[in-house]
Amino acid sequence: MLGGTHLGRFSKLAIITLAFATLPLLAIAPAQAGSNMAKVDIVSEGIDLAPIYVSSNANGYTGSEPAKHKFMVRVFAKASGQNRVWKVAIHGLKGVTFFQKDVGKSEGWDVYGKSHEFWAKPGEVKWMTTPKEACDANLKKMVAAGKTKAQVLANDRKTQALAFVYFTAFADSKAHNKKGKHESGGGIEPHNDNTAYTVPVVCRMAL
């Protein structure tokens, strides 16, 4: 389960509109007072211009095609005091992990900061606006502007969707890290952040 940092950030993201191009970078998330983690952060780092495709028929859009999409992010975790980061992970939906690494039996990282690329199917990602929802919204907008549904579906249409990518980091004492033991206390407490990620979408014409 994601912790308090995630919940606070999620509530902020809930007010984001479809004006994705104007999204600001999210600030580094400070850990709670007394925590063994000082900061945890994830930001998007570029957009894969290859779109996610949404299929359609004469009745409307039917869903995302299953091809994988590339995501590019930069993550940052800094332990507090004499603690060290011992594990980091990037993930999507519950149970879906795109990247994970730990320090093994070593003192750990004072700071972990790195750019990562990973590929994910649409069904593996948590969406604020799914590709199909983005196509449906675009269809509704164009019909309201005077086009018929058939006219809209007669051509491919471009739009954008909004995904969430999550980052989790763990910190513990150097002694615990060297032993590889994190069974209790703050060493197994997750510290979380997430970022809103813009994804280009092509709403396919109905065949």
Side-chain angles (χ1 to χ4, degrees):
M1 178 180 294
L2 297 181
T5 305
H6 157 66
L7 293 175
R9 181 62 55 85
F10 184 88
S11 63
K12 294 178 183 178
L13 288 172
I15 64 172
I16 298 175
T17 69
L18 292 179
F20 304 132
T22 63
L23 283 172
L25 289 178
L26 301 176
I28 291 177
Q32 296 178 351
S35 169
N36 54 18
M37 191 77 74
K39 293 179 181 178
V40 177
D41 185 49
I42 179 172
V43 295
S44 60
E45 195 171 57
I47 296 175
D48 183 4
L49 297 180
I52 287 179
Y53 289 91
V54 174
S55 300
S56 68
N57 57 33
N59 296 318
Y61 297 106
T62 57
S64 300
E65 297 177 6
K68 290 186 175 183
H69 184 79
K70 183 169 71 172
F71 292 82
M72 295 164 279
V73 297
R74 182 163 184 82
V75 298
F76 177 89
K78 178 178 174 58
S80 63
Q82 297 300 309
N83 297 292
R84 295 292 184 268
V85 179
W86 70 271
K87 183 179 179 179
V88 293
I90 299 170
H91 45 102
L93 290 176
K94 183 177 180 180
V96 178
T97 300
F98 304 119
F99 169 83
Q100 183 170 288
K101 186 174 183 179
D102 64 55
V103 299
K105 293 183 178 181
S106 68
E107 289 189 352
W109 304 294
D110 178 35
V111 171
Y112 181 92
K114 191 172 182 180
S115 297
H116 288 279
E117 294 182 359
F118 63 91
W119 294 80
K121 294 181 179 181
E124 297 174 324
V125 177
K126 176 69 175 179
W127 296 93
M128 180 174 179
T129 306
T130 69
K132 180 183 181 300
E133 288 171 344
C135 289
D136 288 340
N138 187 62
L139 171 61
K140 183 177 180 180
K141 178 181 178 181
M142 295 185 74
V143 169
K147 290 186 179 292
T148 66
K149 178 187 286 189
Q151 287 174 327
V152 177
L153 295 173
N155 294 286
D156 288 351
R157 306 292 178 180
K158 294 182 180 180
T159 186
Q160 294 176 320
L162 191 65
F164 290 117
V165 181
Y166 300 92
F167 176 57
T168 300
F170 299 81
D172 206 345
S173 68
K174 290 184 283 187
H176 287 174
N177 292 344
K178 289 176 71 175
K179 293 177 182 178
K181 293 185 178 182
H182 312 281
E183 290 86 359
S184 61
I188 58 173
E189 178 187 356
H191 301 273
N192 307 284
D193 193 27
N194 63 63
T195 188
Y197 199 101
T198 303
V199 177
V201 175
V202 170
C203 314
R204 288 199 188 273
M205 62 184 291
L207 299 178

